[in-house]
Each structure stands twice: as structure tokens, then as C-alpha cells.
């Protein structure tokens, strides 16, 4: 055939795509070139003046792909692979470190043990979780239950679940665990449809491991050159949302047009009020002609000490910095007043600039939801209001419950709203919430989050198929004020209520929505 087609035969060499063509008697010798190839490149890199980031990039981009083709084609001898050598019959999390292990493996195991408390199980059917060895109880760093008797080593988490009713079996839990552990276990939500257990990284919102989060855990906090300034700042007794707003302003993280234009190139960076200057943070809060008149009030501290190019961090340093600033103590005492005024100015601007609550399309039902969380007691409220395309009030629900995070409060509220909508036989439903993270999770189908929301998000996804149409939309807090007031009422009253007619305390919020909508 080669002679007929005039093909010239040539030797293919010893390797093809890095894989050996000529096999030797020993499998180890046949595939030993893998180690030599990687070692050769590492020696070449070691003579270069590369940063840590550069070395890491080379290892990931060049070093890791070297064995891919060969490992996909052949069964590599156990002597060349760490998994086969140290944890052939278990996973990396359960791997041990023998005394004769290599230095590289000892380092890996050491780091693994440091981050292991943050690798948490999300309970599905419970068949894969060992209650005594695995980390599955929801509390960062302390995720194993305490037994009230001699531990039963054959017990699985599945044995503590009533799989028919899909809820925790209190009798079984009481038989094996102490009271404090049971209180934490029963707060783990179980999906109405059984699913497999899965591991998540407890230090990220989406449950995926990230080198950055692990690095910060292992590295700990470092000193900040402005540590004294920020210590004074966080000690000021003002509402937390005002504190956070001031801090974000100082860090240039407020979405004013000047910053947005630098990042995503919007149509214009001019102030939407005066249309005269770019909307920087200082302009929006202090120097805008429609705002500066507020600072001219005699009872307020003057802003003439600040130039147009002043950064908000410098502004905070002026009010909270240590001497030699004159009258430093007096300025610190006035800072809460100034901070709250800035917050009010920002909220007022947003209420007038951004969109307001609008009724849904014809034949649709709109449900606005919100959750309120108290981090001190791990409790809070959830509430939602149902209105039709004519803005007509249908009913409102407020409830008090226990939450471990603000995200859980938002998810549980949406879960309750979707369930109620199905019970009321609504066919076209629009869910609105001011929790962007939760709405993105639902719309993206990303349910790999934390232990306390996974099962609830899974239920929401399953229930979507029961409606003709259902949508989940993120809105600004200014458009969700009524639902916010309902959630706050549930948190403060510690009651569970449902009204078919608007309660008196809600009339102001409903009137505000109607007035802003008219504008």
C-alpha cells in the first residue's frame, strides 16, 4: 500500500503527544518520562526571576497539562500517582499521612487538615454522611455533633431522617445526640425530593472552593496602615447600614456615574440632578448645587474645608482622625449626625432617580418578598405582599422565624411565597426581591450554596414547573419598601399573621407606593 501510494516510511520516534510508543518491560520505566518532563521544565523556570503569581501560572498552564494525554490513554503505575499511593480506597479528605510519606504529601495533608473544618456536607438523603467523622452540622469550624451515649459507629445521617415525610426523626436524634446538637440539626432544611449528599466549601456563597478564601483563612488578618482610623470608624454608634455606606464611600465602591463610566462606559457621567459636573461620590453627597444648600444650615458642620477633589476617605479622616486635627473630639461627636445625613441624602437621590414599584402585566400576580435578620439572636422576620395588575391588594403574610444569615431569611421568604402562590392556584406569578444574590442563584439554577439554603432553592426550582409562567426579578430596596416593612413587623412582633385586608400599620407603605407610582 505504501509503495502504491508512494508513501515514504519514517520512524515515529519514541513518543507521540508525550505518550510512549515503544514499551519497556517495566511499566514504571515506560512512563517515567512524565516525571522527567515536569522536572525538566521546573529546573528551567527556577533560574528565572518570577513572582509567586508567575510561578503558579506556569505550573497550572504548562505543568498540569503535560500528563493529560498519557493519563487518559494508559493506566499509570501506582508508584507515579499520589492518589494510588496514599489514598487508593478513599478520597483526599479522608486520606492519612504515613510516617514514611514524602515531604510533598506531608505538606498537602497538613494544609488539608487546616481547611478541613470548612468543608461541609449538605444533607440530601444522608446515606454518605458519617455523623461522627464528617463535618455536617451548620457552624463554621465546629460541625460535628456531641453524643449523649457511646457513639454507634454504624450510624448514618440517613438513619436520622424520616424519608417518607422528609423530616428529621426526633426520636432517633434524641437517642444518639445531646440537646444542643439536636437544636442545630433540626434547623437543617430537607428538600421535599430526596437527593444525594454533597460537599460544599463553607466560606463562599456558592459553596465552591476558592484559593482566595482558603488563603485568607490560613493567613489571618494583617495590619492596616489606617488601622486607627478604621477602629474609630467602626466604633461610632450609628446604624450598621449607615456605617457600611460610609465605608463603601471611602473605598470608592458606591455606584455613582463617574465610577460606572470608568468600568462599563455608560452614556454620560454627568450628575442627573445638575447636569453640570461628573457625578463623583463627593459631588453626589456634598457639592451638587441641589445638595450643598443642606450643608449651609447653621446647625450642621460646614463643608468649606473640603476641596472639590477631596476623596471621601480623606473626609472621614478629617472627622475621625487623631490630633493634630483641631477640635478632634468635637468632630468625632458630630460624625454620627453627618454620617446619617449623608445616608439620607443618598437614599433620597435614589428614590427619585431609580425606578419605583410597578404593577405586573395583565393576568399576572406580583409578589414582593423580603427577609429581616437579627444577627445577635439569629432570628428575624419574613414577609410578602400579593397584588394584581390593577395594583389591587390581595393579601399579605408576615412571619417570625429563626435564621442563621440574611440570605437564609430571603430564601425562606421566597420559598414561602412560591408555595403560597401554588396553593392559591395562581398561574402567572412574578416574584420580586431586593436580594440580588438569591435571585441570581434561582435564575442561574445555581443551588450549590450553603447548607441552610440548598434544599429550599431546590424546592423552588422544582415548583417552577407547576406554573404556566413564573419569573424572579431583583429590584432596588426603594421599590421593595412595603415588603421590607412587613418583614420588619414580623421580626419585631414575633407573630405569624396573614391579612386579607391591609392592616392599619401598612397603609402608609401602600400609600407611598401609590404616590411614587403616580409621580
Amino acid at each position: 500500500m505504501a509503495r502504491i501510494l508512494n508513501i515514504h516510511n519514517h520512524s515515529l520516534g519514541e513518543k507521540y503527544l508525550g505518550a510512549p510508543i515503544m514499551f519497556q518491560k517495566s511499566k514504571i520505566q515506560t512512563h517515567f518520562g512524565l516525571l522527567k518532563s515536569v522536572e525538566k521544565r521546573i529546573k528551567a523556570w527556577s533560574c528565572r526571576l518570577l513572582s509567586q503569581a508567575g510561578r503558579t501560572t506556569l505550573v497550572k498552564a504548562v505543568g498540569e497539562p503535560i500528563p493529560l494525554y498519557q493519563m487518559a490513554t494508559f493506566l499509570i503505575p501506582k508508584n507515579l500517582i499520589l492518589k494510588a499511593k496514599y489514598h487508593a480506597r478513599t478520597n483526599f479528605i479522608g486520606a492519612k499521612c504515613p510516617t514514611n510519606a514524602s515531604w510533598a504529601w506531608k505538606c498537602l495533608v497538613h494544609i488539608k487538615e487546616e481547611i478541613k473544618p470548612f468543608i461541609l456536607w449538605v444533607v440530601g438523603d444522608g446515606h454518605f454522611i458519617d455523623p461522627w467523622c464528617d463535618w455536617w452540622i451548620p457552624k463554621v469550624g465546629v460541625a460535628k455533633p456531641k453524643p449523649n451515649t457511646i457513639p454507634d459507629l454504624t450510624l448514618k445521617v440517613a438513619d436520622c431522617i424520616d424519608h417518607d415525610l422528609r423530616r428529621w426523626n426526633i426520636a432517633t436524634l434524641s437517642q444518639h445526640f445531646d440537646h444542643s446538637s439536636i437544636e442545630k440539626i433540626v434547623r437543617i432544611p430537607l428538600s421535599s425530593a430526596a437527593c444525594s449528599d454533597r460537599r460544599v466549601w463553607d466560606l463562599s456563597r456558592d459553596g465552591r472552593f476558592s484559593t482566595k478564601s482558603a488563603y485568607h483563612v490560613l493567613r489571618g488578618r494583617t495590619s492596616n496602615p489606617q488601622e486607627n482610623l478604621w477602629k474609630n470608624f467602626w466604633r461610632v454608634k450609628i446604624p450598621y447600614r449607615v456605617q457600611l455606606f460610609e465605608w463603601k464611600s471611602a473605598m470608592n465602591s458606591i455606584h455613582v456615574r463617574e465610577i460606572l463610566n470608568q468600568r462599563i462606559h455608560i452614556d454620560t457621567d454627568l450628575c442627573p440632578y445638575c447636569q453640570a459636573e461628573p457625578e463623583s461620590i463627593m459631588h453626589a453627597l456634598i457639592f451638587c448645587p441641589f445638595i450643598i444648600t443642606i450643608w449651609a444650615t447653621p446647625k450642621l458642620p460646614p463643608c468649606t474645608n473640603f476641596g472639590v477633589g477631596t476623596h471621601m476617605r480623606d473626609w472621614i479622616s478629617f472627622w475621625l482622625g487623631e490630633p493634630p486635627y483641631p477640635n478632634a473630639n468635637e468632630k468625632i461627636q458630630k460624625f454620627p449626625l453627618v454620617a446619617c445625613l449623608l445616608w439620607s441624602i443618598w437614599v433620597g437621590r435614589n428614590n427619585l432617580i431609580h425606578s419605583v414599584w410597578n404593577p405586573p402585566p395583565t393576568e399576572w400576580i406580583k409578589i414582593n418578598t423580603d427577609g429581616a435578620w437579627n444577627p445577635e439572636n439569629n432570628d428575624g422576620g419574613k414577609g410578602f405582599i400579593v397584588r394584581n395588575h390593577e395594583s389591587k391588594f390581595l393579601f399579605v403574610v408576615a412571619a417570625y422565624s429563626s435564621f442563621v444569615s440574611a440570605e437564609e431569611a430571603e430564601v425562606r421568604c421566597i420559598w414561602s411565597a412560591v408555595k403560597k402562590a401554588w396553593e392559591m392556584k395562581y398561574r402567572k406569578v412574578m416574584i420580586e426581591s431586593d436580594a440580588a444574590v438569591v435571585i441570581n442563584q434561582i435564575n442561574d439554577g445555581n443551588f450549590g450554596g450553603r447548607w441552610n439554603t440548598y434544599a429550599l432553592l431546590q424546592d423552588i426550582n422544582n415548583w417552577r414547573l407547576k406554573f404556566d409562567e413564573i419569573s424572579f426579578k431583583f429590584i432596588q430596596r426603594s421599590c421593595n419598601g412595603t415588603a421590607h416593612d412587613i418583614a420588619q413587623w414580623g421580626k419585631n412582633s414575633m407573630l405569624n399573621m396573614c391579612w386579607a385586608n391591609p392592616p392599619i400599620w401598612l397603609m402608609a407603605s401602600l400609600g407611598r407606593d401609590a404616590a411614587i407610582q403616580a409621580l
Side-chain angles (χ1 to χ4, degrees):
M1 182 65 70
R3 185 171 61 255
I4 294 173
L5 298 177
N6 195 25
I7 296 175
H8 300 283
N9 295 329
H10 293 281
S11 173
L12 294 178
E14 297 181 356
K15 294 182 179 180
Y16 175 72
L17 295 179
I21 296 177
M22 305 298 295
F23 296 94
Q24 302 183 33
K25 294 182 179 180
S26 171
K27 294 180 182 179
I28 296 177
Q29 293 179 356
T30 300
H31 297 284
F32 197 73
L34 278 178
L35 299 183
K36 289 185 176 180
S37 179
V38 175
E39 183 179 5
K40 179 180 178 180
R41 283 167 173 78
I42 292 177
K43 287 183 178 179
W45 299 336
S46 62
C47 62
R48 300 180 183 179
L49 298 177
L50 298 173
S51 64
Q52 178 66 45
R55 294 194 297 270
T56 303
T57 301
L58 281 176
V59 170
K60 291 183 177 180
V62 181
E64 289 183 357
I66 289 176
L68 290 182
Y69 179 81
Q70 196 165 343
M71 294 179 68
T73 309
F74 304 101
L75 293 175
I76 307 300
K78 293 182 178 180
N79 295 39
L80 302 178
I81 302 301
L82 288 176
K83 175 175 174 55
K85 186 175 182 180
Y86 293 110
H87 57 100
R89 297 181 180 179
T90 184
N91 52 44
F92 176 68
I93 302 301
K96 305 296 182 181
C97 184
T99 55
N100 60 346
S102 64
W103 176 80
W105 180 252
K106 290 180 179 179
C107 292
L108 289 174
V109 172
H110 174 75
I111 297 298
K112 185 250 306 186
E113 293 299 325
E114 292 288 332
I115 66 174
K116 190 174 180 179
F118 308 102
I119 302 175
L120 195 67
W121 276 99
V122 172
V123 179
D125 53 21
H127 291 293
F128 290 93
I129 304 178
D130 184 337
W132 310 115
C133 299
D134 293 327
W135 300 81
W136 62 286
I137 305 297
K139 186 177 181 182
V140 174
V142 184
K144 295 180 181 179
K146 297 179 180 179
N148 62 0
T149 183
I150 299 176
D152 181 3
L153 300 182
T154 63
L155 183 72
K156 293 290 185 181
V157 172
D159 301 329
C160 303
I161 299 175
D162 187 336
H163 294 280
D164 294 330
L165 301 177
R166 293 300 300 164
R167 65 186 183 188
W168 293 103
N169 189 324
I170 303 299
T172 305
L173 292 175
S174 302
Q175 182 180 353
H176 296 280
F177 309 114
D178 69 345
H179 181 70
S180 62
S181 298
I182 294 175
E183 288 182 343
K184 297 174 183 176
I185 293 173
V186 296
R187 294 174 64 182
I188 302 176
L190 298 174
S191 175
S192 57
C195 54
S196 299
D197 303 321
R198 55 190 302 276
R199 281 193 176 98
V200 295
W201 178 245
D202 202 33
L203 298 181
S204 62
R205 287 186 176 272
D206 59 2
R208 297 180 181 179
F209 175 84
S210 66
T211 306
K212 180 180 179 180
S213 60
Y215 174 79
H216 284 302
V217 170
L218 298 177
R219 183 172 181 264
R221 297 182 178 179
T222 57
S223 58
N224 191 327
Q226 296 182 334
E227 184 175 358
N228 291 334
L229 168 64
W230 295 119
K231 282 184 177 180
N232 289 337
F233 174 79
W234 293 113
R235 277 200 295 261
V236 176
K237 294 183 179 180
I238 54 179
Y240 176 70
R241 59 184 177 182
V242 178
Q243 261 187 341
L244 186 60
F245 169 75
E246 297 293 335
W247 178 76
K248 291 177 69 175
S249 299
M251 303 304 293
N252 246 19
S253 298
I254 299 297
H255 293 167
V256 293
R257 290 188 172 185
E258 184 180 62
I259 296 176
L260 290 176
N261 189 53
Q262 296 173 358
R263 298 177 180 176
I264 59 176
H265 303 291
I266 59 178
D267 295 335
T268 178
D269 64 349
L270 294 179
C271 172
Y273 268 11
C274 66
Q275 294 289 326
E277 298 179 4
E279 187 192 35
S280 65
I281 295 177
M282 290 295 290
H283 176 87
L285 299 178
I286 297 178
F287 294 117
C288 180
F290 294 93
I291 302 297
I292 199 169
T293 55
I294 299 176
W295 296 99
T297 304
K299 293 183 179 181
L300 295 177
C303 59
T304 55
N305 296 324
F306 313 118
V308 176
T310 304
H311 192 280
M312 184 59 69
R313 184 172 58 250
D314 299 329
W315 186 90
I316 292 178
S317 298
F318 177 83
W319 287 100
L320 294 180
E322 302 293 336
Y325 291 121
N327 301 322
N329 294 331
E330 181 181 352
K331 291 201 299 291
I332 291 176
Q333 293 175 359
K334 292 183 179 180
F335 181 77
L337 170 64
V338 176
C340 292
L341 177 60
L342 288 173
W343 167 253
S344 301
I345 292 173
W346 180 252
V347 172
R349 285 174 60 92
N350 288 339
N351 286 339
L352 294 177
I353 294 173
H354 298 294
S355 59
V356 297
W357 185 89
N358 291 306
T362 305
E363 298 183 354
W364 280 71
I365 297 298
K366 177 175 283 191
I367 306 178
N368 288 80
T369 71
D370 195 32
W373 177 54
N374 182 0
E376 296 180 359
N377 301 324
N378 278 339
D379 62 356
K382 57 182 180 179
F384 59 87
I385 179 173
V386 184
R387 288 171 280 192
N388 63 12
H389 65 279
E390 297 176 344
S391 301
K392 181 181 178 180
F393 177 94
L394 298 181
F395 66 89
V396 64
V397 173
Y400 171 80
S401 185
S402 297
F403 310 113
V404 298
S405 66
E407 183 178 342
E408 182 189 358
E410 300 285 357
V411 173
R412 284 188 179 274
C413 188
I414 296 176
W415 182 90
S416 300
V418 175
K419 183 179 180 182
K420 187 67 175 179
W422 172 246
E423 293 173 352
M424 299 297 293
K425 301 187 183 303
Y426 298 141
R427 307 311 304 165
K428 296 182 179 181
V429 179
M430 183 181 295
I431 306 291
E432 288 186 344
S433 169
D434 55 24
V437 173
V438 175
I439 294 298
N440 291 337
Q441 283 183 303
I442 295 174
N443 289 330
D444 297 340
N446 177 17
F447 308 137
R450 307 176 75 87
W451 62 269
N452 55 336
T453 59
Y454 174 78
L456 303 173
L457 291 171
Q458 188 66 46
D459 280 347
I460 294 172
N461 187 56
N462 294 337
W463 291 340
R464 298 179 77 156
L465 303 176
K466 297 182 178 182
F467 297 88
D468 293 344
E469 293 183 70
I470 185 171
S471 67
F472 298 87
K473 181 182 178 182
F474 165 73
I475 57 173
Q476 299 291 336
R477 169 60 65 82
S478 58
C479 309
N480 205 40
T482 304
H484 174 76
D485 292 343
I486 298 169
Q488 291 293 330
W489 186 92
K491 181 183 74 171
N492 297 329
S493 67
M494 300 184 182
L495 297 174
N496 300 330
M497 295 292 292
C498 180
W499 291 272
N501 295 307
I504 296 178
W505 58 266
L506 193 62
M507 297 301 293
S509 297
L510 293 173
R512 182 181 62 238
D513 282 353
I516 296 178
Q517 182 184 344
L519 291 175

